[in-house]
Structure formats: structure tokens, C-alpha cells
Amino acid sequence: MRRLYPRSFPRLLAVGFALVALPLVFALVNNAISVDRLANRSQNAVYQAVQATQSSRRLAQLLNSLERTARQIVILDDHSLLDAYAANRRRFEQTVAEFSRLPIDAEQKSALDGIVRGEAEIYSALSQAGAKGAQLKGVIERFGALDEQAQSIVVHSNAQIDREVEAMRATADQAQRITFWQLLALIPVVVFLAIGFSVLITRPIRQVDAAIRRLGAGQLHFPVTVSGPQDLEQLGERLEWMRRELLDLEEQKNRFLRQVSHELKTPLTALREGADLLSEEAAGKLTVEQREIAEILRHNSVELQKLIEDLLSFGASQSRKVTVDRSPVDVREVIGRVAEDQRLAIRARGLTLDVAAADVLVPADPEKLRVVVDNLLSNAVKFSPPGGVVRLSARLGGGALEINVIDRGPGIPPEERSRIFDPFYQGQHAGAGPVRGTGIGLSVVKEYVFAHGGSVEVVDTDAGAHLRVKLPLNWREKAI
């Protein structure tokens, strides 16, 4: 493919424009040559026709002059007028010579020869010594026949002009038809060349655009390949280098998240166990104030543990394909477990949890389904106003399990809906609670739902936020 391209993109553009314009230039040059030939032919034809007409008319006028002079010689019987006749005769011969050099037809040639012979006979008779008027009278009458022949030459010359004009018109029509068919034949050629070079020019640009879009979307596992001019291929190589660098940074980030999350789990586990022991009064009976402090410690240790689990889940989903261990799952049981885990947070904010879960078994990964419901519910609890109501429902419909979580919080602005499932993205509304979220809970929801072949979306509602998850009952596992 590289052989099809010049070394640089500007050169490719120049070659493309040149090849597309070449047929048009050829047509213009060909038409210019045809027009020039037609103009030259028309000029020559008109010139010759005008010369023939002028010569034939002058020939007729000179015959009339010769006839008048001859009649004067006969009537006056004055042979001294032969000098005037001879002078007119020389002009007549000159006109005949000019006319004979023109491209005349055979009929005109025959008439001209007859005129020359007839005039020569008349001149011979007039030049004879002792010739009388009575003898020459019959000779002079021959001018009438010569005049008729001269008029026939004039008529033929006019007809020749008409023929030349018609021939020029026919030639012009033919040139116009040739030009039309040339243009008609060149249109598909030009269109083919234009489309072909458009493909050649836009293909590397589309490849660069697709590579940049994939990099912007975080799809770093697709190599960047650009085939085209050398400068665009070098740009593709630089994009490939950038992709590898970003991929390396992504792997370092995920490795850091895994290590930090793993290191935090051990001391956090000790904190949570200690908080549980205090809440259970294992070290002795607690006062009301002490019990409240123990509950605060326990609640925040649970929050921290959830954040660390989210980090671990996100790191695992980014470092390898998310696999789904499918088995029959009791949806109501999973929702009950999640509601129990969120009981302290719900009670701390004075919320009411309205659960409507169908008693059904669905094929799913139980742990990942629990994480999905837990993240959706904790997100609703975090953004709900104190004393509000959170609705959690699960039902079958349309061949899928549909899970809806609705709160009465500030809601999700339309401009943020396309980004709330991106990792580490946090909207303009901050959730309640002493521990700020990481912004990866909903991204984990998206990863796990997609791994089940399902979908997650934000549903329009009058107030608050409404998130809906659909998990198909018949699905194929997706690679994430």
C-alpha cells in the first residue's frame, strides 16, 4: 500500500489534483485545437469565396467593357480604339489568371475556358486588317454568350459561398458534438479519479482521527496503524508511541491502586474489628456517648472498607478481562443483604428505604450483582436529603431483570449524564458523609453490568436521580 503514496502528504495532494485536472486540460486543449482549425478553415473558405465572387463580378464587368469598346469599333469603324480594347483585354487576362488560381469547380473552369476562347476569337477578328463593320457585327454578338457564361460563374461563386457557409455550420455542429461526447466521456473518468484520490487522501486522515478518538476514549489496547504518505505514517508512529506510554502509565496507576488498597485493608480490618468489639461492649459496658462514638467509628470504617473494595474492583477490571461466574441468584436475597449492609448509613441520615424486589432466580454472578446493587444504593443514600425516601425495585420484564434505584436528591444534570460512569468522575453535587467518594463506584457498576451483557442508564425524572440497570436473562459474556 505504501507504494501507492508519495513521500509527503502535500505531494499526494499535488498528484491528486494534477491527475484529476489532466483529463479536463486534455479536453480544453483538444477543443482549443478544434476551434483553431475551424477558425482557420472558415477564414480560408470565406476569403476564397469572396475572392471568387469579386473576380467573377470583375470578369463580367470587364466583358461588358470589352463589348462596349468592340461595338464602338464596329459602329464608328475606328480601329484606333483597338488600343483601348487591348488595355481592357490585359486587365481581363489578369482577372482570368487570378480567378483560375482560386479553387473553382469543373463547371466554373469550363465556363472560364469558354470565355477566354470566345474573347480570343473576337479579338482576333477585330485585329484583322480590312475587316469591315458588317463583317464584325456577327462576331460582336458572341459577347452575349460570353456574358451568360460570366453570369453563370457569378451564380456559381455565390452558390460556393452558400456551400462554404453550410460546410462551416456542419463543421461547427460536428465540433460541438465531439466536444459534448468528450465531456460526457470525461465526467466518469474525472469522478472516478476524484473518488479514488479522495479515498487515498482521506484514508490516512481517518486512521489518524480514529486513533486519536480511541486514545481520547481510553481504548489503549488497539495499536495505531496509519498507511499513507511518509509524514502521516510518522505521525501514526508518534501516536503509537504515545499509546504505549499511556498504556504504561495506566498499568502503573492500576498497580499503585492495587498495592495501596491492599496495604490499607490490613489496618482497616483491625479498625473495623475494634469498632465492632466496642459496639458489642466486649471490653465493658459503654455509656450512651461512648456507644455513639463506637457507632461512628464502625460506620466510617465500613465506608472506608467500601471505598477500598471499589478501588480493588476497579483495578481488577482494568488489569484483566472481567469474568462472570454465572449461577442462579436469588434477587430478593441479594437486595436484602445490601439493605442490611447499608442499614447504619440509612439510619444515620434518617432515610426510609422502600424495597420492592420480585422473588425470582436469575443467572448472574452473585458477588458482582451484589456490588452493582450496593454501589447504586450507597450512591442514592449519599445524595438523598435527610429524612428522604430511597426506592429500590427489581422485577422481570422484556426478557431481562430490571433494577431501579430512585432518590430525591439534587439529581444528575443532563450535561453530566454521559460522564458519571467514567472512572474518577465526580459531579458538581457533593454527596453527604465524612468520607468523600472516589468517583469509581458507578464505573464499577458499568463494568460489571456490561460483563453480564446488560446496560445501565440515567432515566429522566421530575426530581432526584433515577438509575436503571437491565440484565438480560439470555446473554453472552462480554470482554471488558
Side-chain angles (χ1 to χ4, degrees):
M1 179 62 70
R2 182 178 295 181
R3 295 179 180 178
L4 295 176
Y5 291 95
R7 295 179 61 86
S8 65
F9 187 71
R11 188 174 298 176
L12 174 62
L13 290 177
V15 172
F17 284 127
L19 287 181
V20 171
L22 187 60
L24 299 177
V25 173
F26 170 77
L28 290 176
V29 171
N30 187 40
N31 290 334
I33 293 174
S34 299
V35 170
D36 183 67
R37 289 176 179 175
L38 179 62
N40 291 334
R41 178 179 175 182
S42 301
Q43 182 178 2
N44 293 332
V46 170
Y47 176 78
Q48 292 173 0
V50 170
Q51 289 295 319
T53 302
Q54 291 177 350
S55 297
S56 61
R57 291 177 179 175
R58 189 162 56 249
L59 184 65
Q61 292 174 357
L62 289 173
L63 281 175
N64 289 332
S65 297
L66 291 173
E67 183 181 2
R68 282 197 305 273
T69 305
R71 289 186 181 278
Q72 289 175 356
I73 293 173
V74 172
I75 294 171
L76 299 176
D77 195 18
D78 185 3
H79 287 275
S80 63
L81 295 175
L82 281 175
D83 294 335
Y85 186 93
N88 287 332
R89 190 170 188 272
R90 284 191 297 271
R91 289 195 295 272
F92 172 78
E93 290 175 347
Q94 183 180 359
T95 301
V96 169
E98 292 176 357
F99 190 78
S100 62
R101 287 193 295 267
L102 296 175
I104 57 179
D105 56 20
E107 189 173 353
Q108 288 177 308
K109 180 68 174 174
S110 176
L112 183 62
D113 291 341
I115 292 174
V116 171
R117 286 194 303 269
E119 190 278 329
E121 292 175 356
I122 293 172
Y123 180 70
S124 176
L126 291 175
S127 301
Q128 290 180 1
K132 301 298 181 180
Q135 297 174 350
L136 297 176
K137 188 174 181 180
V139 175
I140 295 175
E141 296 300 329
R142 296 181 185 176
F143 275 107
L146 297 181
D147 185 65
E148 291 180 358
Q149 290 179 325
Q151 292 301 321
S152 68
I153 291 177
V154 173
V155 172
H156 278 84
S157 297
N158 293 332
Q160 182 180 0
I161 293 178
D162 295 337
R163 288 195 300 270
E164 291 297 334
V165 171
E166 187 63 30
M168 285 188 293
R169 184 181 295 109
T171 303
D173 292 340
Q174 183 181 7
Q176 185 177 7
R177 287 194 299 271
I178 292 175
T179 302
F180 172 76
W181 287 111
Q182 283 180 344
L183 292 177
L184 196 63
L186 285 176
I187 288 175
V189 175
V190 173
V191 170
F192 173 77
L193 290 175
I195 293 176
F197 270 92
S198 297
V199 172
L200 289 178
I201 292 172
T202 59
R203 177 183 296 168
I205 296 177
R206 289 198 304 269
Q207 291 173 342
V208 171
D209 178 71
I212 294 175
R213 289 178 182 274
R214 287 197 299 269
L215 292 177
Q219 301 174 3
L220 305 178
H221 297 283
F222 298 94
V224 177
T225 303
V226 178
S227 58
Q230 187 175 4
D231 47 4
L232 290 184
E233 289 185 350
Q234 291 175 353
L235 177 60
E237 292 172 358
R238 288 191 283 270
L239 289 175
E240 172 63 15
W241 170 81
M242 184 171 67
R243 182 193 70 85
R244 291 194 297 267
E245 291 294 319
L246 290 174
L247 188 60
D248 183 59
L249 289 175
E250 188 72 15
E251 291 176 355
Q252 293 180 19
K253 180 193 71 175
N254 292 332
R255 187 163 53 250
F256 172 76
L257 289 176
R258 291 194 300 271
Q259 291 174 353
V260 170
S261 301
H262 185 270
E263 293 297 329
L264 288 175
K265 283 190 69 176
T266 300
L268 182 61
T269 300
L271 287 174
R272 182 173 180 182
E273 289 178 353
D276 289 340
L277 290 175
L278 287 176
S279 298
E280 295 171 0
E281 299 181 347
K285 189 150 182 81
L286 301 177
T287 64
V288 176
E289 291 81 3
Q290 291 173 337
R291 187 175 294 107
E292 289 181 355
I293 294 173
E295 287 293 330
I296 292 174
L297 289 174
R298 181 185 177 189
H299 172 69
N300 284 281
S301 65
V302 171
E303 288 289 329
L304 287 174
Q305 182 178 9
K306 183 179 182 305
L307 294 177
I308 293 174
E309 288 176 352
D310 286 343
L311 289 173
L312 289 173
S313 299
F314 176 75
S317 67
Q318 295 296 309
S319 61
R320 64 180 184 274
K321 171 186 173 182
V322 177
T323 58
V324 177
D325 186 11
R326 182 174 58 172
S327 62
V329 178
D330 189 332
V331 176
R332 180 177 291 179
E333 179 182 349
V334 170
I335 291 179
R337 287 172 51 198
V338 172
E340 179 62 24
D341 293 338
Q342 297 287 336
R343 179 176 56 83
L344 289 177
I346 293 173
R347 187 177 65 184
R349 295 186 55 77
L351 302 177
T352 301
L353 178 61
D354 183 6
V355 178
D359 188 9
V360 294
L361 296 176
V362 296
D365 187 312
E367 179 58 26
K368 290 181 174 56
L369 181 59
R370 183 198 67 79
V371 171
V372 168
V373 178
D374 185 74
N375 285 351
L376 292 176
L377 182 57
S378 64
N379 192 72
V381 170
K382 185 185 302 183
F383 288 95
S384 292
V389 177
V390 177
R391 291 182 173 83
L392 172 60
S393 65
R395 62 185 180 86
L396 295 179
L401 172 65
E402 184 178 292
I403 301 174
N404 293 276
V405 179
I406 305 173
D407 62 60
R408 290 294 178 181
I412 304 173
E415 62 272 12
E416 295 183 2
R417 293 183 181 182
S418 61
R419 300 185 59 192
I420 61 169
F421 298 103
D422 294 341
F424 304 104
Y425 178 77
Q426 298 189 26
Q428 59 183 354
H429 300 295
V435 182
R436 183 172 176 82
T438 59
I440 63 174
L442 292 181
S443 69
V444 173
V445 170
K446 177 183 176 181
E447 299 283 348
Y448 286 178
V449 170
F450 279 17
H452 282 80
S455 63
V456 57
E457 61 179 338
V458 179
V459 182
D460 292 331
T461 183
D462 295 334
H466 181 181
L467 296 178
R468 175 179 293 164
V469 170
K470 288 184 178 181
L471 300 179
L473 301 182
N474 297 320
W475 53 274
R476 291 182 180 179
E477 184 177 325
K478 290 185 178 179
I480 304 300

